[in-house]
Amino acid sequence: MQALEQMGAEITTSHGYIEARAPKGGRLKGAHIVFEKITVTGTENILMAAALAEGETVLENAAREPEVTDLVAMLRKMGARIEGDGTSKLRIRGVERLHGTEHTVIPDRIEAGTFLVAGRLRAAT
């Protein structure tokens, strides 16, 4: 949420939901964002926001998980300009718009691990 605010988002809460909006009549602005803690979801959310923001966004202490790298690959196919995937520092230059693409999402490692553990527990009983 703090990173979106740095980009100019207007944050409100309503009925238990957090809503983030670009400033009225405008776009989010690029910013230099340093994540206090490494966060996959935070990195992914800001990557998507920055892809359409005005100017350049730099993310430091960004997550390096395969899911983040896969999202970068998909966003690039859609026209995003992103550098540094696989590292903790990402540089995103916002574009006016993204276009459609086809992309196969990588398998979820956590879900696969859950099924492995569940199978092992089932076999042990």
Side-chain angles (χ1 to χ4, degrees):
M1 195 161 58
Q2 185 179 8
L4 287 171
E5 286 179 319
Q6 284 180 253
M7 296 177 76
E10 298 167 354
I11 310 288
T12 59
T13 55
S14 176
H15 307 289
Y17 292 95
I18 299 171
E19 297 177 6
R21 298 181 190 279
K24 291 187 194 283
R27 294 168 49 194
L28 296 176
K29 306 280 188 225
H32 185 173
I33 297 165
V34 180
F35 289 111
E36 188 176 309
K37 291 190 225 175
I38 296 172
T39 165
V40 173
T41 304
T43 299
E44 291 171 335
N45 283 335
I46 300 306
L47 267 170
M48 291 183 283
L52 291 170
E54 270 182 44
E56 181 176 89
T57 301
V58 175
L59 303 182
E60 292 197 50
N61 203 27
R64 294 179 282 176
E65 276 74 3
E67 294 81 9
V68 173
T69 302
D70 190 52
L71 176 61
V72 168
M74 184 193 73
L75 288 169
R76 273 198 193 120
K77 288 180 188 178
M78 297 174 74
R81 295 172 26 201
I82 304 169
E83 298 172 5
D85 44 318
T87 72
S88 63
K89 184 175 183 177
L90 299 169
R91 186 177 305 276
I92 307 101
R93 289 179 189 86
V95 296
E96 283 276 327
R97 65 184 51 154
L98 298 172
H99 54 78
T101 191
E102 288 191 22
H103 184 79
T104 302
V105 177
I106 64 172
D108 187 303
R109 298 171 300 132
I110 295 170
E111 185 177 4
T114 301
F115 283 122
L116 285 171
V117 170
R120 177 69 178 129
L121 292 174
R122 178 76 175 158
T125 58

